[in-house]
């Protein structure tokens, strides 16, 4: 009980310190980016910290397993350097038993990580996306900058001139990305040009906004061939709408609740997202299994020497999971690749843990065979 409490306190404290440090780095970079957007007038400063708060679960999903792994490496490495591990080994406590003493902490972090992946992250991304969409639709004309592209949903607008007094857009170019019934991006785009445009007054400004375009042309282009269709118009109205959150598409699958995704498992992007959410918590267990052998420090060897390559090994697991989500979403491989990936890393961790034991047994048997019946080598 004393050893379990000691290990739990040391690892938990170091995990919290590393987590706060990495969180400060990521939030600092994101704050600088959002302040730049706010300085350009594309974001209300009052919504800045709300967006940051909703994105915290997204940061935690990747940072928490890494922080736990680094904390284990630091604690176990210090114990090797201070000869505490030698005392424990001499007392009959193996590395496996030392890891089993931290099962309550590992289980707690596993459940916490699962809550982030299955509930907190989709909730935060959904609320953050709603803020961005409301901001984009509510103040589109206020965000217009001459000779600069702005985006709203499937539309990308370019304005040569903007008369703020008349609220008139001049020499307008609009690129519209078409989507099919399943929400996938179609293989044809629409380009619209107009000499001027005005915003149409509407009561439902929270979900849509309309623009009337005058004296222009509409081109429909195919991305896989050189053919196109064109039409001239005197007046053309486009509607900028907020994407429907009820319909699962490639762009909003991350914001959907886990229960809703489980009810629509036919689409490949849903399978990829569900597999990703259920796989991420296993990084906690893999971190504990990998850190135990990788943290072993030999005499006169610093513990920091093993930290960088060990972090790269663990990061390769997280990067592989992210890569699988992309590949499965594009139907390149099966969703069962998540299971094989986790089993592969668990087998690799078990090999590292049992390697020294197997080597010692092989050496012992070889030495026994070299002994003569009379006891002489």
């Amino acid at each position: 009980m004393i050893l379990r409490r000691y290990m739990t306190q040391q690892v938990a404290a170091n995990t919290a310190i590393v987590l706060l440090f990495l969180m400060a780095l990521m939030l600092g970079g994101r704050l600088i980016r959002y302040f730049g957007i706010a300085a350009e007038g594309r974001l209300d400063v009052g919504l800045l910290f709300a967006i940051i708060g909703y994105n915290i679960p997204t940061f935690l999903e990747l940072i928490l397993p890494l922080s736990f792994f680094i904390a284990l490496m630091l604690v176990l490495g210090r114990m090797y350097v201070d000869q505490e591990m030698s005392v424990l080994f001499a007392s009959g406590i193996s590395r496996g038993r030392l890891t089993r003493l931290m099962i309550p902490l590992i289980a707690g972090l596993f459940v916490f990580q699962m809550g982030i992946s299955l509930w907190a992250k989709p909730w935060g991304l959904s609320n953050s996306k709603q803020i961005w969409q409301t901001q984009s639709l509510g103040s589109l004309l206020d965000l217009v900058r001459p000779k600069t592209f702005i985006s709203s949903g499937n539309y990308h607008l370019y304005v040569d001139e903007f008369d703020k007094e008349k609220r008139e857009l001049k020499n307008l170019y609009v690129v519209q990305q078409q989507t099919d019934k399943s929400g996938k991006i179609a293989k044809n785009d629409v380009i619209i040009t107009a000499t001027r445009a005005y915003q149409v007054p509407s009561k439902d400004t929270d979900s849509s906004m309309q623009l009337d375009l005058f004296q222009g042309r509409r081109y429909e282009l195919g991305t896989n061939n050189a053919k196109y269709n064109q039409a001239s118009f005197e007046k053309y109205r486009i509607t900028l709408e907020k994407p429907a959150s009820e319909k699962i598409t490639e762009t909003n699958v991350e914001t959907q609740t886990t229960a809703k995704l489980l009810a629509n498992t036919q689409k490949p992007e849903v399978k990829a997202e569900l597999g990703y959410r259920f796989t991420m918590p296993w990084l906690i267990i893999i971190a504990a299994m990998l850190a135990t052998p990788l943290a072993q420090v030999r005499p006169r060897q610093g513990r920091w020497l093993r930290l960088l390559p060990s972090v790269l090994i663990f990061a390769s697991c997280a990067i592989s999971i992210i890569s699988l989500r992309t590949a499965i979403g594009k139907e390149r491989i099966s969703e069962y690749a998540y299971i094989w990936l986790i089993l592969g890393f668990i087998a690799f961790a078990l090999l590292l843990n049992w390697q020294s034991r197997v080597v010692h047994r092989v050496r012992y048997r070889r030495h026994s065979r070299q002994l003569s019946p009379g006891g002489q080598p």
Side-chain angles (χ1 to χ4, degrees):
M1 291 299 297
I2 296 176
L3 183 58
R4 173 178 294 175
R5 184 166 57 249
Y6 171 75
M7 291 296 301
T8 301
Q9 289 177 352
Q10 290 292 316
V11 175
N14 280 270
T15 301
I17 293 173
V18 176
L19 181 64
L20 291 176
F21 175 74
L22 295 178
M23 183 68 71
L25 287 180
M26 296 197 68
L27 288 180
R30 191 60 63 91
L31 274 174
I32 293 174
R33 175 188 171 189
Y34 287 161
F35 273 126
I37 296 175
E40 295 175 359
R42 293 185 292 157
L43 177 64
D44 186 1
V45 179
L47 301 175
L48 179 62
F49 291 99
I51 294 177
I52 289 292
Y54 286 132
N55 279 278
I56 287 179
T58 305
F59 302 150
L60 285 176
E61 185 183 40
L62 294 174
I63 293 178
L64 180 60
L66 179 61
S67 302
F68 179 58
F69 179 77
I70 294 176
L72 283 171
M73 292 291 299
L74 294 177
V75 172
L76 296 177
R78 180 188 58 79
M79 293 178 68
Y80 273 107
V81 173
D82 295 343
Q83 303 301 323
E84 294 182 19
M85 296 296 289
S86 300
V87 175
L88 293 176
F89 293 157
S91 302
I93 298 178
S94 63
R95 292 188 310 191
R97 185 179 177 185
L98 195 65
T99 304
R100 290 192 294 270
L101 290 175
M102 294 184 292
I103 286 180
L105 176 62
I106 297 173
L109 291 177
F110 181 87
V111 173
F112 184 70
Q113 177 75 14
M114 183 171 291
I116 293 175
S117 299
L118 299 183
W119 178 79
K121 178 187 173 182
W123 171 81
L125 289 177
S126 178
N127 286 277
S128 177
K129 190 173 183 179
Q130 289 179 2
I131 293 177
W132 281 109
Q133 290 172 349
T134 303
Q135 180 77 8
S136 176
L137 290 172
S139 58
L140 178 62
L141 292 185
D142 295 331
L143 302 180
V144 169
R145 295 292 181 272
K147 303 182 185 302
T148 303
F149 272 99
I150 61 173
S151 301
S152 178
N154 294 334
Y155 287 95
H156 307 278
L157 291 81
Y158 178 89
V159 179
D160 192 28
E161 297 181 18
F162 178 37
D163 191 340
K164 294 185 178 180
E165 295 182 359
K166 297 181 179 180
R167 309 292 288 178
E168 179 184 7
L169 306 176
K170 297 181 180 180
N171 298 328
L172 184 71
Y173 297 87
V174 181
V175 180
Q176 179 186 6
Q177 290 181 330
Q178 302 280 56
T179 56
D180 54 20
K181 295 181 180 180
S182 62
K184 294 184 178 180
I185 297 176
K187 295 183 178 180
N188 61 323
D189 293 334
V190 174
I191 299 178
I192 305 171
T193 65
T195 57
R196 66 184 190 278
Y198 300 93
Q199 182 178 354
V200 179
S202 176
K203 296 180 180 179
D204 189 15
T205 57
D206 292 336
S207 60
S208 65
M209 189 187 70
Q210 294 179 333
L211 287 177
D212 277 349
L213 284 64
F214 298 91
Q215 299 175 353
R217 289 179 177 269
R218 182 181 185 274
Y219 302 89
E220 186 171 351
L221 309 174
T223 57
N224 56 356
N225 55 55
K227 298 180 180 180
Y228 68 94
N229 299 321
Q230 67 171 341
S232 302
F233 60 86
E234 286 295 326
K235 181 180 179 180
Y236 187 84
R237 176 171 294 182
I238 61 175
T239 302
L240 309 178
E241 296 181 351
K242 182 188 298 183
S245 58
E246 295 82 8
K247 190 175 182 179
I248 301 177
T249 63
E250 292 180 352
T251 57
N252 69 354
V253 65
E254 293 185 1
T255 63
Q256 304 297 323
T257 62
T258 303
K260 191 172 183 178
L261 293 180
L262 289 173
N264 299 272
T265 56
Q266 297 81 11
K267 297 181 178 181
E269 57 268 19
V270 174
K271 296 178 181 179
E273 180 65 22
L274 281 175
Y276 175 81
R277 294 184 185 182
F278 283 101
T279 304
M280 287 302 292
W282 286 91
L283 287 177
I284 299 294
I285 296 178
I286 293 176
M289 297 180 67
L290 284 176
T292 304
L294 292 177
Q296 183 176 359
V297 179
R298 296 179 180 179
R300 296 182 300 275
Q301 184 182 36
R303 56 175 175 163
W304 301 102
L305 184 63
R306 284 182 169 267
L307 183 59
L308 181 58
S310 301
V311 169
L312 293 178
I313 292 175
F314 179 75
S316 65
C317 182
I319 295 174
S320 300
I321 295 175
I322 297 174
S323 301
L324 284 182
R325 179 172 62 173
T326 303
I328 295 173
K330 295 181 179 180
E331 297 185 276
R332 295 176 181 173
I333 56 178
S334 172
E335 62 273 15
Y336 295 104
Y338 285 117
I339 299 177
W340 290 110
L341 178 66
I342 295 300
L343 291 178
F345 271 95
I346 290 177
F348 176 68
L350 291 176
L351 177 63
L352 292 178
N353 280 279
W354 293 342
Q355 180 184 9
S356 60
R357 184 182 303 178
V358 172
V359 170
H360 285 310
R361 288 184 178 180
V362 171
R363 289 179 178 176
Y364 175 76
R365 290 179 180 179
R366 184 182 302 173
H367 182 69
S368 300
R369 291 174 182 176
Q370 291 177 354
L371 293 177
S372 62
Q376 298 295 328

